[in-house]
Amino acid sequence: QSVLTQPPSVSGAPGQRVTISCTGSSSNIGAGLDVHWYQQLPGTAPKLLIYGNNNRPSGVPDRFSGSKSGTSASLAITGLQAEDEAEYYCQSFDTSLTPLYVFGTGTKVTVL
Amino acid sequence: EVQLVQSGAEVKKPGESLKISCKASGYSFTNYWIGWVRQMPGTGLEWMGIIYPGDSDTRYSPSFQGLVTISADKSITTAYLQWSSLKASDTAIYFCARRRSGNYYDAFDIWGQGTMVTVSS
């Protein structure tokens, strides 16, 4: 059971901007803990897209950006491309009871 | 090249034991934590546990504590995930992933390709 909630799906036409929200609580995102984002293309392993709320690893296009505010975080994809069609997951750390890593519920991005 | 290469797909019967592996290369194996993540068919990612190969310090998610064992052999730079008695509900893809840094809250930057485990009578 995930403690980070994402919309099941978002869609957009090529070239458009889409955003994915990740809602947590005071024991994870709201506690000031970093949010990371992963992209999972069909049939492949997750790939780190954004770390530390808004940092891109080398090789990730600047079309991808992250932000965080309060108990929520967001991933924005600008200039949407067909190759961006994938599942996206946020991830953070939860300090309630037993500290552990937590993933979001996942969002399927569809390029129309 | 920094990479994690996992062992191949497994098909097992309920009650059987299993140990899958995650071979690291291209970096100092003992200096980075390695985690395991489960992805059941058609569902999202679940964190199972994490190990520091340098001293085998291991932490488990409460959901997996006592159900699996995570270990590492630094002599061959390999991490393991094992079950002593599989259930049908263990059918899933299992990923290993390296944590970016010593910061406990950091991201997982390198992922293995995944190992599909099928448990069926």
Side-chain angles (χ1 to χ4, degrees):
Chain A
Q1 63 281 20
S2 177
V3 298
L4 303 180
T5 302
Q6 301 177 230
S9 63
V10 299
S11 61
Q16 283 190 328
R17 178 179 188 270
V18 297
T19 61
I20 302 170
S21 61
C22 173
T23 302
S25 68
S26 58
S27 63
N28 41 69
I29 300 175
L33 297 168
D34 284 345
V35 178
H36 320 294
W37 292 90
Y38 301 88
Q39 177 194 60
Q40 188 176 29
L41 297 169
T44 70
K47 169 191 169 185
L48 180 62
L49 207 59
I50 297 286
Y51 67 91
N53 306 315
N54 55 13
N55 301 288
R56 281 176 286 105
S58 173
V60 173
D62 60 6
R63 303 185 292 103
F64 296 93
S65 62
S67 63
K68 189 184 90 164
S69 178
T71 58
S72 295
S74 291
L75 174 72
I77 310 174
T78 56
L80 195 64
Q81 299 182 5
E83 67 208 49
D84 300 332
E85 188 158 294
E87 194 83 18
Y88 292 82
Y89 295 93
C90 60
Q91 181 246 309
S92 186
F93 191 86
D94 195 276
T95 59
S96 61
L97 295 176
T98 304
L100 75 165
Y101 299 90
V102 288
F103 287 96
T105 48
T107 298
K108 174 64 187 296
V109 169
T110 300
V111 181
L112 302 171
Chain B
E1 179 191 4
V2 176
Q3 60 179 351
L4 298 173
V5 178
Q6 298 185 230
S7 49
E10 301 274 1
V11 179
K12 291 289 191 179
K13 292 183 172 13
E16 292 186 331
S17 62
L18 176 64
K19 192 174 188 176
I20 62 175
S21 66
C22 170
K23 168 74 174 174
S25 61
Y27 72 96
S28 178
F29 179 67
T30 54
N31 289 347
Y32 291 82
W33 291 75
I34 288 187
W36 286 93
V37 175
R38 182 176 78 174
Q39 187 167 40
M40 299 177 76
T43 69
L45 307 172
E46 299 173 86
W47 178 72
M48 301 176 71
I50 194 167
I51 187 167
Y52 186 68
D55 61 6
S56 291
D57 185 7
T58 308
R59 317 287 170 85
Y60 293 92
S61 162
S63 298
F64 294 93
Q65 178 83 48
L67 301 179
V68 297
T69 301
I70 294 170
S71 60
D73 185 339
K74 51 190 179 183
S75 69
I76 54 172
T77 67
T78 300
Y80 300 97
L81 177 65
Q82 68 181 86
W83 297 258
S84 58
S85 180
L86 286 160
K87 307 181 191 63
S89 57
D90 292 318
T91 295
I93 300 174
Y94 294 88
F95 296 100
C96 61
R98 185 188 81 164
R99 201 177 72 196
R100 270 188 79 243
S101 73
N103 178 346
Y104 204 71
Y105 312 120
D106 212 339
F108 295 92
D109 63 343
I110 305 295
W111 290 68
Q113 82 277 20
T115 296
M116 179 70 217
V117 173
T118 303
V119 184
S120 174
S121 54

